Amino acid sequence: MTNLEKSLNKKGRRKNSVAILGAMFGDEGKGRITDELTEYFLNKKRFKNVIVYRDNGGANAGHTISHDGKKIGLHQIGSGILHKGCYVVLGKGMVIHPSDLLEEIEEIKQVFEFKELPANLMIDEMAVLSTDLHRAFEYALKNSSSKSLGSAAATGRGIAPAYADVVYRFPLRIRDLYKRDWKVYFIEQYNRYSKWINGLGFEMKDIKIQRYKGREYKVGSCDKYIKDLERCRKLLKPYVFNMYDFIFKNWNSDTPFIFEKAQGIGLDSRWGLYPDVSASNCSLDGITYSTEGIVNANDISARFGVIKSTYTSSVGKRVLPTAMEEKYATVIRDEAHEYGTTTGRPRDIAYMDLVMLEYFCKMGGIEELVFTHMDIVWDSAVKVCTKYKIKDKVVGYRPDQEYIDSVKPVYKEFKVWNIENLKNLRSTKKLSKEVTKFLDFYSEYTNTSSVMITYGPDRHDTLFI
Ligand code: GDP
Ligand code: MG
């Protein structure tokens, strides 16, 4: 039995269920792994369907899938969408921007020349709406106070304000779009956000936000806002469902489930490097919430943490202790196209930090590692941080930038492997000594097992371990 099969069939767990988590700061390759695992399950004749379930984040995610020379960055839609037989569920824990979602559906059809989406897309009617008003409010917040410590984390996609609405007890959920008197709620929302934005010194109708692919868009008047929602609610209607019975029935059958998380544990609001964190729950337990407890996340058999094997990347203000010297970082950035899928921002490049990884695995509930980007190595050794020191004392990670600024990384070097050899392997039985040593060190350090290696961005540039 392979490690992958073992992970999917753990004793006492729900078989053929797997969570795909970002184990560092996002952009590790979760999308392509989800896409490939969807195919893996569907290739087994005994499964007619697979469910790919997203439980967190929204249009701030960017999950790339590449196939047959075609490539797309998915934002709100789960990465099983290219497969017939797959149900892609956008869960209650997500925040959904309706018009961006419609554009994403159209882009998938266009890039892959589909008349209809191959997978079935289902939106939980309980998912929270993230609207243009949230983006406008985020803009006003960000621009009214340059001193706000966390504002750098904002992607301008209105994610945090949409989640905040729930805590304020003013949320608007997808189902509210379909109430008979729906306009009343949305006009009230427009008026409330206009007042808040006025208080910050801006006018709602003048604010330019970013819509799909960063296109500038003026929110404009309340009338314009309602008209746009009127269009979206009609077009989205076929995808909106009460998901409870569907999830209940399938979780209690043998349908494979892939829970595709967005962002990474390093961005989780509790475990990430405060204050530059994301608003959503990036760890395993978010799945329990999103499914209203139908899926107890502790029952999920495999819990994959995806990492870029030989380095880590990060977008935002956070400063990683292992930040790479710019002359090396540039090489990696170009070789691995390290520019944000959603924002296009150049990503910061750092050496892999096992101290963080070990903590993120523990807090994120990760039990297996997926090693992507095994093709990105440089001529000399692969340098990996294995310890932090403050003065001469060995210390651990804490989710706090001010603390992290005071630690000094200590590195270990690994011999590089031959990439061409790795690419030509058909099975992991013949992995080179260098690769095996590298994988084993990570697994031992983080108390996980290794299940997959990827050595290129395309579907099938993969070895199952
Ligand atoms: P996600 O947000 O975790 O789904 O990851 P992204 O799609 O934002 O970023 C991952 C980037 O790495 C994308 O540009 C992928 O095409 C690319 N990628 C994924 N796996 C590999 C790999 O094994 N090697 C290389 N060179 N690139 C990869
Ligand atoms: Mg991404």
Side-chain angles (χ1 to χ4, degrees):
M1 219 194 234
T2 60
N3 280 358
L4 175 72
E5 286 161 349
K6 276 187 211 150
S7 73
L8 293 169
N9 291 287
K10 285 186 198 146
K11 237 186 156 167
R13 301 261 180 94
R14 164 45 162 92
K15 294 204 185 323
N16 295 309
S17 60
V18 49
I20 314 289
L21 298 102
M24 292 299 283
F25 294 93
D27 306 324
E28 303 93 344
K30 296 173 292 294
R32 61 88 50 91
I33 298 299
T34 302
D35 171 57
E36 292 183 274
L37 284 177
T38 308
E39 185 185 57
Y40 167 88
F41 283 122
L42 287 172
N43 277 344
K44 297 191 182 298
K45 293 279 168 308
R46 66 196 158 103
F47 299 126
K48 258 192 17 236
N49 302 113
V50 171
I51 295 175
V52 168
Y53 187 102
R54 249 220 29 215
D55 74 289
N56 75 306
N60 55 340
H63 295 181
T64 315
I65 42 184
S66 309
H67 187 50
D68 272 350
K70 293 172 185 161
K71 180 170 136 175
I72 193 162
L74 297 170
H75 303 285
Q76 303 187 80
I77 296 180
S79 304
I81 198 70
L82 302 185
H83 299 275
K84 203 166 174 346
C86 179
Y87 287 88
V88 170
V89 180
L90 313 193
K92 174 177 175 174
M94 284 186 71
V95 289
I96 309 269
H97 188 281
S99 119
D100 274 14
L101 181 57
L102 287 166
E103 285 199 60
E104 189 171 332
I105 294 171
E106 286 315 306
E107 195 192 351
I108 297 169
K109 290 187 195 164
Q110 191 207 327
V111 170
F112 292 93
E113 295 167 36
F114 296 134
K115 276 216 174 81
E116 296 300 328
L117 292 177
N120 300 289
L121 179 64
M122 303 178 94
I123 308 168
D124 192 328
E125 61 172 17
M126 290 299 280
V128 172
L129 279 162
S130 159
T131 67
D132 293 338
L133 308 184
H134 296 115
R135 293 185 180 182
F137 184 59
E138 196 165 79
Y139 171 91
L141 268 182
K142 197 167 175 170
N143 289 288
S144 65
S145 149
S146 58
K147 294 231 163 27
S148 162
L149 288 168
S151 71
T155 53
R157 295 301 189 276
I159 306 297
Y163 278 118
D165 264 1
V166 180
V167 187
Y168 290 150
R169 287 169 294 191
F170 280 106
L172 285 171
R173 298 188 184 268
I174 294 281
R175 72 174 176 195
D176 297 321
L177 279 171
Y178 300 99
K179 294 201 162 123
R180 198 176 306 153
D181 55 349
W182 68 277
K183 286 185 188 169
V184 175
Y185 300 98
F186 288 86
I187 291 169
E188 198 216 318
Q189 187 204 28
Y190 184 94
N191 291 335
R192 184 169 65 250
Y193 270 95
S194 294
K195 280 186 204 146
W196 287 354
I197 284 172
N198 271 338
L200 291 165
F202 296 89
E203 282 287 335
M204 177 74 89
K205 63 178 179 19
D206 299 333
I207 292 183
K208 283 190 192 138
I209 56 155
Q210 288 189 2
R211 270 202 169 180
Y212 199 62
K213 301 237 168 209
R215 193 167 31 80
E216 273 200 349
Y217 179 86
K218 255 192 174 176
V219 181
S221 65
C222 185
D223 223 30
K224 183 178 173 192
Y225 178 61
I226 297 294
K227 276 211 179 86
D228 184 61
L229 286 175
E230 180 116 54
R231 175 184 70 89
C232 294
R233 71 195 274 276
K234 281 199 190 113
L235 293 171
L236 285 178
K237 185 80 177 60
Y239 303 110
V240 175
F241 298 90
N242 176 331
M243 292 306 306
Y244 195 89
D245 290 345
F246 179 85
I247 297 297
F248 187 88
K249 190 174 113 226
N250 280 287
W251 185 247
N252 290 297
S253 74
D254 62 358
T255 313
F257 269 74
I258 303 172
F259 297 94
E260 181 186 21
K261 303 273 322 178
Q263 286 84 50
I265 318 224
L267 299 168
D268 183 274
S269 48
R270 301 151 302 165
W271 318 120
L273 201 46
Y274 171 87
D276 203 354
V277 290
S278 168
S280 75
N281 176 322
C282 306
S283 65
L284 196 73
D285 51 345
I287 298 164
T288 310
Y289 162 75
S290 188
T291 59
E292 296 186 353
I294 298 172
V295 177
N296 178 341
N298 295 322
D299 292 338
I300 297 172
S301 186
R303 298 115 185 246
F304 292 1
V306 186
I307 51 167
K308 279 173 173 149
S309 314
T310 56
Y311 66 99
T312 190
S313 67
S314 138
V315 186
K317 258 219 160 133
R318 80 188 65 79
V319 182
L320 300 180
T322 57
M324 205 177 277
E325 302 81 342
E326 198 47 38
K327 66 177 173 187
Y328 302 130
T330 316
V331 179
I332 290 192
R333 196 175 292 120
D334 288 342
E335 202 171 317
H337 308 290
E338 287 293 351
Y339 297 89
T341 313
T342 303
T343 56
R345 292 184 282 186
R347 296 177 186 143
D348 294 331
I349 310 292
Y351 294 105
M352 176 45 98
D353 185 335
L354 291 185
V355 184
M356 279 189 190
L357 181 63
E358 193 265 337
Y359 181 91
F360 294 157
C361 285
K362 191 169 63 193
M363 302 321 292
I366 290 167
E367 295 180 342
E368 288 83 23
L369 285 181
V370 173
F371 293 80
T372 68
H373 294 75
M374 282 293 281
D375 53 317
I376 308 292
V377 291
W378 44 99
D379 300 340
S380 58
V382 180
K383 207 166 126 178
V384 174
C385 163
T386 54
K387 264 186 223 152
Y388 291 164
K389 280 192 171 175
I390 297 181
K391 295 208 174 104
D392 283 331
K393 196 170 156 225
V394 177
V395 296
Y397 167 87
R398 285 177 51 198
D400 174 22
Q401 182 75 60
E402 283 184 26
Y403 165 81
I404 287 296
D405 286 344
S406 67
V407 308
K408 279 228 153 28
V410 179
Y411 293 98
K412 174 179 170 64
E413 295 196 340
F414 290 87
K415 256 196 182 162
V416 295
W417 43 90
N418 183 307
I419 297 166
E420 287 315 308
N421 281 357
L422 184 63
K423 286 184 181 177
N424 291 325
L425 283 185
R426 289 283 159 267
S427 105
T428 47
K429 290 208 181 80
K430 298 207 176 103
L431 281 178
S432 68
K433 254 199 342 269
E434 290 81 17
V435 171
T436 313
K437 232 175 153 178
F438 180 79
L439 302 183
D440 288 351
F441 189 87
Y442 275 40
S443 294
E444 219 162 281
Y445 196 109
T446 56
N447 196 23
T448 58
S449 64
S450 34
V451 278
M452 285 167 88
I453 289 178
T454 73
Y455 47 79
D458 270 0
R459 192 191 281 169
H460 307 152
D461 288 344
T462 309
L463 287 168
F464 293 122
I465 300 179

